[in-house]
Amino acid sequence: MSNTPHELAEEFPEFAEKMSALKVSDSHFAKLAAEYHEINRKVHVAETNVAPREELAEVDLRKRRGALKDEIYAYLKAN
């Protein structure tokens, strides 16, 4: 599981340095990033059948990941 797709640095390479700085200096951003990371890992283990989930539960996780990704992108653009 070392190669988990959809990591934030891969999704937003142009903001990689900014995200690193915000994780340290901005508690709200750090919380968003941690939540995204946790959900992304859950999606990955479900997709690879390491920890299979019901299809609707997996779809819900993907939707939550997408919503967080949108929120993080908006936050990065605004700050």
Side-chain angles (χ1 to χ4, degrees), residues 8-19 73 76-77:
L8 286 174
E10 294 171 0
E11 295 293 314
F12 306 120
E14 70 277 19
F15 292 114
E17 289 182 28
K18 186 174 188 177
M19 287 187 290
Y73 182 73
L76 289 168
K77 293 289 283 186

Side-chain angles (χ1 to χ4, degrees), residues 11-75:
E11 295 293 314
F12 306 120
E14 70 277 19
F15 292 114
E17 289 182 28
K18 186 174 188 177
M19 287 187 290
S20 292
L22 285 171
K23 286 179 188 177
V24 175
S25 67
D26 187 316
S27 62
H28 178 68
F29 183 82
K31 182 181 174 190
L32 287 175
E35 187 176 354
Y36 178 90
H37 180 73
E38 179 183 336
I39 291 172
N40 189 47
R41 291 276 180 205
K42 288 179 182 179
V43 170
H44 179 65
V45 297
E47 289 176 341
T48 58
N49 288 322
V50 171
R53 293 180 177 262
E54 294 247 345
E55 185 177 350
L56 289 178
E58 192 174 327
V59 168
D60 181 55
L61 283 174
R62 283 194 197 106
K63 286 180 182 179
R64 290 173 48 204
R65 179 178 66 185
L68 273 170
K69 183 178 165 184
D70 291 345
E71 186 175 353
I72 288 168
Y73 182 73
Y75 198 87

